[in-house]
Amino acid sequence: MEEMIKRLKNLKTIDVEIMSKRQEIVSLRSKALKSPQYSTMPKGQKLGNAIEDLNAQIIDDIANINKEIETLYQERQVLTQAINKLEDSMERNVVRLHYLNNYSWKDISKELNWSVRQLQRIKENAVQKLEKLVAL
């Protein structure tokens, strides 16, 4: 149950993390340099091309970040689909409000007109069911 709670808590920040990674990609792209213009004029001896190497590293970094974003999206999708499969609408609402919409227990209590303790019990039952749904 602890692992599922950890995954659900991470769900709260996945969108922020994805946005941060997208901003990192924008920043990396802005650092990519245009290839130099070549002429027939002789230049000093130079081994390798530092600009090409830098651009290749930036391309690799962007590809890795895109893979990380895809992994985050997949985790979000798996958990969201499992939440949507909960048969009890109260369990669905409690988990959705708390983990997807970042509502506090107090806010959920006001919204649904239930005590915080009752809502936490509902969440515990829902987490147990989610473990089974995600394990399938």
Side-chain angles (χ1 to χ4, degrees):
M1 190 155 128
E2 294 298 319
E3 181 63 27
M4 180 54 66
I5 290 174
K6 182 180 174 185
R7 288 176 73 182
L8 287 167
K9 285 181 180 178
N10 286 340
L11 190 57
K12 290 181 175 186
T13 60
I14 282 178
D15 291 333
V16 173
E17 191 171 352
I18 289 171
M19 185 177 63
S20 172
K21 289 184 181 297
R22 285 184 176 159
Q23 289 173 342
E24 187 176 350
I25 289 172
V26 169
S27 175
L28 285 171
R29 284 186 177 147
S30 72
K31 292 176 184 172
L33 302 172
K34 291 183 177 180
S35 295
Q37 299 295 321
Y38 295 103
S39 71
T40 57
M41 297 298 293
K43 301 282 184 191
Q45 263 190 328
K46 189 175 182 183
L47 297 174
N49 185 337
I51 293 174
E52 275 185 19
D53 293 343
L54 176 63
N55 284 339
Q57 182 61 48
I58 289 171
I59 289 168
D60 290 344
D61 290 348
I62 289 172
N64 289 334
I65 293 169
N66 279 324
K67 286 177 188 173
E68 292 170 7
I69 290 172
E70 181 62 29
T71 301
L72 290 169
Y73 269 128
Q74 288 173 353
E75 174 71 357
R76 187 180 200 291
Q77 188 174 19
V78 164
L79 293 173
T80 302
Q81 287 175 351
I83 291 168
N84 290 335
K85 288 180 183 177
L86 289 171
E87 292 179 11
D88 186 315
S89 64
M90 183 57 78
E91 290 175 348
R92 250 191 339 267
N93 287 329
V94 168
V95 172
R96 183 172 284 285
L97 289 171
H98 188 64
Y99 292 109
L100 288 172
N101 302 108
N102 291 321
Y103 278 40
S104 69
W105 288 115
K106 185 177 176 183
D107 292 338
I108 297 170
S109 178
K110 286 180 187 175
E111 185 78 24
L112 300 177
N113 201 26
W114 285 54
S115 74
V116 170
R117 185 64 201 133
Q118 288 172 314
L119 293 170
Q120 289 173 338
R121 276 192 222 112
I122 290 169
K123 183 222 38 157
E124 288 171 12
N125 290 336
V127 168
Q128 290 174 352
K129 291 175 183 176
L130 285 171
E131 281 183 314
K132 293 174 185 171
L133 287 169
V134 172
L136 295 175

